[in-house]
């Protein structure tokens, strides 16, 4: 006997579609994208004081190395921040609800493996989750994992370099936007750039944020800060040197990792950790149409990570246009999580 088929009931039982993924990091013209990358790297390496953007850390290997860094004993930020979120997640959810934000669009900047957002999703109950990262293939796999864990969640993954601008496509929900920027990655911006970035998020014509959940590393003793960026196993050194392998791939250069050493130091005057790659010998690096000679001891500046006080970050958020600001810290006051509402 043939039973009538209830299409609507059947459709509810079908597995959800894979997450939508939009790759904005590679424009429609691969040639155009490659030309822009080659130009940016060439200018960076030929500058009087060579300095390369930390976004070039994050090829597939670099993303995996950073994931390994977060598990190191010396690298306190990840586990300290996770402890704050675990202790405060109910309060955070209540704070959003009090602001009238019941089912936000959660925009996860620098999402990486999406683990931090996955711990919050059950409590914030977002209507849409938007992980954003420059490491496109790594993010695509991570977004699939989030979808497996939350089959009913609408996910729009964005492969993009948001440090160059945060123009979100129409597929991203325009209302109830909550930006999630953990890991103290805002510290990679110069304070003036950080202010501009925060203003963009808060601007009702641009980021259209209702609020921002922000993780920030706080000022502390120099020895602890430097150990976090120069671990005994040398994983951070490998992460730093992998930037040269990525440049070789992108630029066609001939960096030899054996000629470079990892340097991490705290610049107290600027309140920032600096990472450099230092030439161990006199050497010349070549790539199509160009070359650059380095003296022994000459450095390529690869990263800054600014450290803030609670008072300093509160002032910066207010200057950017956020009004209602709360924060939570760990017992040692090593790290802080801020909620800032527009």
């Amino acid at each position: 006997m043939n039973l009538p088929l209830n299409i609507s009931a059947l459709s509810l039982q079908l597995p959800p579609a894979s997450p939508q993924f939009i790759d904005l990091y590679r424009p429609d013209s691969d040639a155009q994208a490659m030309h822009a990358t080659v130009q940016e790297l060439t200018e960076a390496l030929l500058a009087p004081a060579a300095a390369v953007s930390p976004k070039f850390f994050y090829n597939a290997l670099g993303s995996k190395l950073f994931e390994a860094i977060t598990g190191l004993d010396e690298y306190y930020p990840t586990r300290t921040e996770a402890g704050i979120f675990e202790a405060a997640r109910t309060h955070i959810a209540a704070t959003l609800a009090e602001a009238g934000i019941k089912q936000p669009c959660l925009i996860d900047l620098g999402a990486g493996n999406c683990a931090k957002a996955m711990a919050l999703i059950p409590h914030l109950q977002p209507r849409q989750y938007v992980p954003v990262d420059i490491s496109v293939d790594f993010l695509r796999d991570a977004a699939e994992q989030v979808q497996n864990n939350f089959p009913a969640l609408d996910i729009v993954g964005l492969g993009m370099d948001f440090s160059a601008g945060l123009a979100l496509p129409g597929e991203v929900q325009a209302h109830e936007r909550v930006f999630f920027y953990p890991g103290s990655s805002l510290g990679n911006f110069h304070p003036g750039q950080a202010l501009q970035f925060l203003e963009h998020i808060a601007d009702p014509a641009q980021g259209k944020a209702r609020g921002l959940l922000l993780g920030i590393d706080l000022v502390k003793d120099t020895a602890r800060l430097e150990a976090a960026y120069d671990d005994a196993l040398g994983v951070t050194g490998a992460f730093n040197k992998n930037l040269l392998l990525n440049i070789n791939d992108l630029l066609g250069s001939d960096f030899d990792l054996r000629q470079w050493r990892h340097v991490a130091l705290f610049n107290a005057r600027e309140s920032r950790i600096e990472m450099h790659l230092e030439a161990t010998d006199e050497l010349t690096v070549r790539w199509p149409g160009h070359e650059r000679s380095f003296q022994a001891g000459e450095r390529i500046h690869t990263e800054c990570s600014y450290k803030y006080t609670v008072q300093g970050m509160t002032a910066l958020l207010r200057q950017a246009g956020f009004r209602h600001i709360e924060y939570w810290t760990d017992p040692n006051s090593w790290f802080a999580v801020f909620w800032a509402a527009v």
Side-chain angles (χ1 to χ4, degrees):
M1 181 180 193
N2 293 327
L3 297 175
L5 184 63
N6 187 331
I7 297 296
S8 61
L10 180 60
S11 65
L12 293 175
Q13 300 171 24
L14 292 175
S18 295
Q20 187 176 177
F21 198 89
I22 302 170
D23 188 353
L24 300 175
Y25 185 52
R26 303 183 184 117
D28 293 336
S29 168
D30 286 341
Q32 177 187 356
M34 182 53 67
H35 175 76
T37 297
V38 167
Q39 184 175 13
E40 179 180 354
L41 285 171
T42 296
E43 290 175 358
L45 292 173
L46 293 179
V52 176
S53 169
K55 70 184 179 183
F56 292 107
F57 285 136
Y58 297 101
N59 59 0
L61 177 57
S63 294
K64 290 177 181 176
L65 285 168
F66 183 74
E67 196 172 358
I69 287 170
T70 63
L72 296 171
D73 286 345
E74 297 96 329
Y75 197 77
Y76 62 85
T78 301
R79 64 177 177 272
T80 305
E81 182 183 52
I84 296 171
F85 275 119
E86 184 174 358
R89 59 194 179 189
T90 302
H91 193 178
I92 291 171
T95 300
L96 267 66
E98 289 168 9
I101 305 170
K102 303 256 173 143
Q103 286 189 300
C105 169
L106 186 63
I107 301 171
D108 187 358
L109 301 177
N113 63 7
C114 302
K116 295 177 182 180
M118 280 200 286
L120 279 180
I121 284 170
H123 304 277
L124 300 187
Q125 294 291 308
R127 184 183 302 275
Q128 185 180 64
Y129 173 56
V130 183
V132 185
D133 206 281
I134 197 170
S135 186
V136 176
D137 295 332
F138 189 80
L139 179 64
R140 197 187 302 270
D141 292 341
E144 292 279 0
Q145 185 60 48
V146 178
Q147 192 77 85
N148 290 339
N149 281 272
F150 303 99
L153 181 60
D154 178 23
I155 298 176
V156 179
L158 297 181
M160 67 182 294
D161 174 14
F162 60 83
S163 69
L166 197 55
L168 300 176
E171 289 83 354
V172 177
Q173 181 178 308
H175 59 286
E176 301 297 294
R177 287 181 176 178
V178 171
F179 285 82
F180 180 46
Y181 200 16
S184 200
S185 297
L186 184 71
N188 292 144
F189 292 101
H190 181 277
Q193 296 172 322
L195 173 61
Q196 187 177 36
F197 186 73
L198 292 170
E199 287 175 335
H200 186 123
I201 290 174
D203 189 335
Q206 298 185 70
K208 303 177 182 176
R210 288 291 309 280
L212 167 69
L213 267 174
L214 176 69
I216 285 294
D217 198 10
L218 300 178
V219 175
K220 60 186 66 63
D221 64 283
T222 297
R224 191 172 304 278
L225 283 167
E226 291 185 345
Y229 291 82
D230 193 10
D231 60 280
L233 280 174
V235 182
T236 310
F239 173 71
N240 199 9
K241 287 184 179 183
N242 178 66
L243 177 141
L244 299 180
L245 292 181
N246 194 24
I247 292 175
N248 282 348
D249 288 341
L250 295 169
L251 199 57
S253 54
D254 60 355
F255 279 101
D256 183 344
L257 269 60
R258 295 169 297 183
Q259 297 176 309
W260 297 86
R261 75 178 188 96
H262 167 67
V263 175
L265 56 92
F266 182 60
N267 182 333
R269 184 172 60 85
E270 298 289 343
S271 192
R272 71 189 188 193
I273 280 282
E274 297 177 4
M275 290 211 313
H276 302 261
L277 289 164
E278 184 177 278
T280 57
D281 302 292
E282 186 177 341
L283 59 92
T284 299
V285 178
R286 297 175 177 84
W287 63 98
H290 299 280
E291 63 178 43
R292 166 71 183 263
S293 294
F294 292 88
Q295 300 299 313
E298 192 172 356
R299 294 172 175 177
I300 301 173
H301 193 163
T302 57
E303 184 181 29
C304 284
S305 182
Y306 285 86
K307 308 304 175 184
Y308 288 87
T309 63
V310 166
Q311 295 79 8
M313 180 49 62
T314 300
L316 191 67
L317 288 165
R318 290 198 186 283
Q319 190 177 355
F322 293 94
R323 294 291 171 257
H324 180 69
I325 299 169
E326 295 188 44
Y327 69 90
W328 301 267
T329 64
D330 61 283
N332 295 313
S333 294
W334 287 352
F335 202 95
V337 169
F338 285 82
W339 163 252
V342 176

